[in-house]
Amino acid sequence: MKNVGTDSTGVPAGHDGRTRHAVARLLLEQGPVTAASVADRLGLSPTAVRRHIDALVADGEATSREAPRRTQRGRGRPAKLFLLTEQGRSRFGHAYDDLAVAALRFLAEQGGEEAVRAFAQRRVTAFVDQHREAIVAQPDAADRAKALAAALTREGYAASARHVGAGEQLCQHLCPVAHVAAEFPQLCETETAAFADLLGTHVQRLATIARGDAVCTTHIPNTPRTAPAHADGPNRVGDADARTSDGGEPA
């Protein structure tokens, strides 16, 4: 039976429902972010945005944290940053299949860790083969990072890229396999190695949704292209020790 008062995506019908969905999407794609920034980007009043954010928090779909000291100006109470919880991400199709976890557990029991890694490698190879030409054709690290972000977004990862310090920072705001990757980090490890291969440089994974961070964050140094990386190389998620609470910028 169809729910009354909701549209086909499960979002409450009407202006309020559409606005709240827009606020939630901005928290997904830009979070952690202040309510004032959300209001500015959506062209809404801060009061209206806070009402929607408060509702998301009350429903367990969003949470808050204090802004890092380096971003605070003047005196007064520290600014609050808002981001979606795992429950909040689910409204954007962030659903997980228990069957996938069960299948990988069975694969690990039958073939060991290498069997799981081989599966992860085959999965990421399909992505690489589809997008390699468009990414490697870009002239520099910044353009390759943007091309990779666009490719990941088309695959459902809501990714973005921006210049940070001496390199580029790739952020994946949504991970369709985060629950599976939390138990089987081989998925993250092979993905990181694939990024290094596509971009032609060592990359450093600073944060992952699978480990409880707000976004998956990868640092891409602005260095000349190097030989392609391999899945058994050093570019693994476990190698990155430098992480920050807001999704990570390299020190």
Side-chain angles (χ1 to χ4, degrees), residues 33-249:
V33 66
T34 63
S37 179
V38 173
D40 183 61
R41 288 174 181 270
L42 295 180
L44 300 172
S45 71
T47 300
V49 167
R50 283 306 301 261
R51 178 167 61 85
H52 288 293
I53 289 179
D54 288 345
L56 291 168
V57 170
D59 290 342
E61 295 190 37
T63 187
S64 66
R65 61 179 61 161
E66 287 189 1
R69 289 286 177 183
R70 64 178 182 274
T71 65
Q72 294 176 20
R73 296 182 179 179
R75 299 180 180 180
R77 298 179 61 183
K80 276 190 175 182
L81 299 176
F82 296 93
L83 64 155
L84 290 189
T85 62
E86 229 173 271
Q87 180 179 332
R89 291 190 186 103
S90 68
R91 69 159 62 211
F92 298 96
H94 192 50
Y96 305 99
D97 191 349
D98 289 339
L99 181 62
V101 175
L104 282 178
R105 286 175 181 166
F106 179 79
L107 184 62
E109 291 171 1
Q110 298 299 309
E113 181 181 347
E114 287 308 310
V116 176
R117 190 173 296 281
F119 168 81
Q121 186 61 53
R122 176 173 293 187
R123 176 179 176 273
V124 78
T125 296
F127 170 82
V128 168
D129 289 347
Q130 184 175 356
H131 299 286
R132 179 184 294 278
E133 184 176 351
I135 294 170
V136 300
Q138 302 304 313
D140 54 39
D143 288 333
R144 290 192 293 275
K146 290 176 182 176
L148 176 55
L152 287 166
T153 296
R154 289 194 293 271
E155 299 292 335
Y157 288 83
S160 61
R162 64 191 178 105
H163 182 74
V164 175
E168 310 302 318
Q169 192 169 91
L170 175 72
C171 293
Q172 295 159 254
H173 301 273
L174 187 65
C175 178
V177 297
H179 276 181
V180 183
E183 184 168 343
F184 297 98
Q186 296 92 333
L187 296 176
C188 293
E189 293 166 6
T190 56
E191 180 182 87
T192 306
F195 290 172
D197 176 61
L198 279 171
L199 300 170
T201 184
H202 171 78
V203 302
Q204 186 179 31
R205 185 61 66 90
L206 303 177
T208 65
I209 293 172
R211 294 193 305 191
D213 297 299
V215 297
C216 296
T217 308
T218 304
H219 176 64
I220 305 162
N222 284 331
T223 57
R225 293 183 188 232
T226 61
H230 299 284
D232 57 352
N235 301 300
R236 294 187 178 185
V237 63
D239 293 342
D241 294 326
R243 299 163 61 205
T244 64
S245 62
D246 61 349
E249 289 187 8

